[in-house]
């Protein structure tokens, strides 16, 4: 009975852990899309600034120097856009160079972002057929089996029969 329950626990954790590579892949796709769009906006701004004989800093200074609150606010908005582009691009580069264990360690950081939350809201489970997916599934099974087996054994200690040894 203990082995069967531990096996069920192992399968449950295997299924859960095997989904991480798919989540990471979906997160990376969303992140890449966001980076691509921000890159287009940044390049368009820089191109427009260049056509006016300005660099990015000079163009933003023009926005900030304006007495028109709309233009000043637009300048601050573009600064935030450039900062977000730099931040998300750096994150994408870190993910691209990360090994499977490093991606798992950084899971809380992924979930704590707007993109991470939206990825989780729209997450679609997938069958793990990659080596990484199978590795996570195998690790999940082993951990689930061991943990549940130990828990069952511990909980059943008070109910075990004691062997009585008769001496003559």
């Amino acid at each position: 009975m203990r082995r069967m329950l531990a096996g069920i626990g192992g399968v449950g954790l295997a299924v859960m852990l095997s989904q991480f590579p798919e989540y990471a892949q979906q997160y990376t796709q969303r992140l890449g899309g966001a980076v691509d769009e921000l890159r287009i906006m940044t390049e368009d701004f820089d191109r427009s600034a260049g056509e006016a004989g300005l660099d990015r800093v000079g163009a933003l200074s023009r926005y900030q120097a304006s007495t028109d609150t709309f233009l000043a606010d637009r300048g601050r908005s573009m600064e935030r856009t450039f900062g977000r582009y730099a931040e998300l691009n750096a994150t994408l580069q870190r993910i691209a160079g990360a090994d499977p264990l490093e991606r798992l360690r950084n899971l809380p950081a992924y979930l704590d972002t707007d993109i991470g939350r939206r990825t989780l809201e729209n997450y679609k489970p997938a069958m793990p057929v990659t080596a990484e997916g199978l590795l996570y599934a195998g690790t999940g099974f082993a951990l689930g089996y061991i943990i549940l087996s130990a828990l069952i054994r511990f909980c059943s200690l008070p109910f075990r029969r004691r062997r009585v040894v008769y001496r003559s």
Side-chain angles (χ1 to χ4, degrees):
M1 177 77 161
R2 179 180 57 82
R3 286 186 179 159
M4 184 181 75
L5 289 174
I8 291 170
V11 169
L13 195 53
V15 168
M16 287 174 53
L17 277 183
S18 72
Q19 294 305 299
F20 174 71
E22 179 62 20
Y23 171 81
Q25 185 264 343
Q26 289 180 26
Y27 175 83
T28 303
Q29 283 183 336
R30 278 183 172 266
L31 181 61
V35 167
D36 287 345
E37 287 304 310
L38 291 171
R39 179 185 46 77
I40 289 168
M41 292 174 65
T42 299
E43 289 173 354
D44 184 54
F45 184 90
D46 290 345
R47 186 175 32 262
S48 294
E51 289 171 359
L54 300 167
D55 62 0
R56 185 185 301 170
V57 174
L60 288 172
S61 294
R62 276 229 179 132
Y63 274 110
Q64 291 169 350
S66 176
T67 57
D68 185 337
T69 55
F70 171 76
L71 291 176
D73 288 346
R74 187 69 186 134
R76 284 188 289 280
S77 173
M78 288 308 297
E79 280 185 283
R80 286 190 301 273
T81 297
F82 301 143
R84 182 156 171 81
Y85 170 61
E87 177 187 329
L88 293 181
N89 193 37
T91 301
L92 184 60
Q93 299 308 314
R94 278 195 311 276
I95 289 172
D99 61 42
L101 194 56
E102 191 175 347
R103 280 197 298 273
L104 183 61
R105 273 196 311 261
N106 291 325
L107 177 62
Y110 298 159
L111 294 174
D112 195 31
T113 65
D114 185 45
I115 293 172
R117 280 189 297 278
R118 285 195 323 265
T119 302
L120 200 52
E121 288 168 4
N122 296 294
Y123 176 72
K124 303 286 187 266
M127 185 71 161
V129 293
T130 63
E132 182 179 357
L134 295 174
L135 174 72
Y136 279 104
T139 302
F141 179 80
L143 286 174
Y145 187 91
I146 290 167
I147 291 169
L148 203 53
S149 180
L151 185 63
I152 291 167
R153 197 176 282 248
F154 178 75
C155 289
S156 67
L157 280 177
F159 306 105
R160 292 184 80 170
R161 287 189 227 163
R162 294 185 185 161
R163 282 200 227 167
V164 179
V165 178
Y166 294 102
R167 295 185 188 177
S168 39

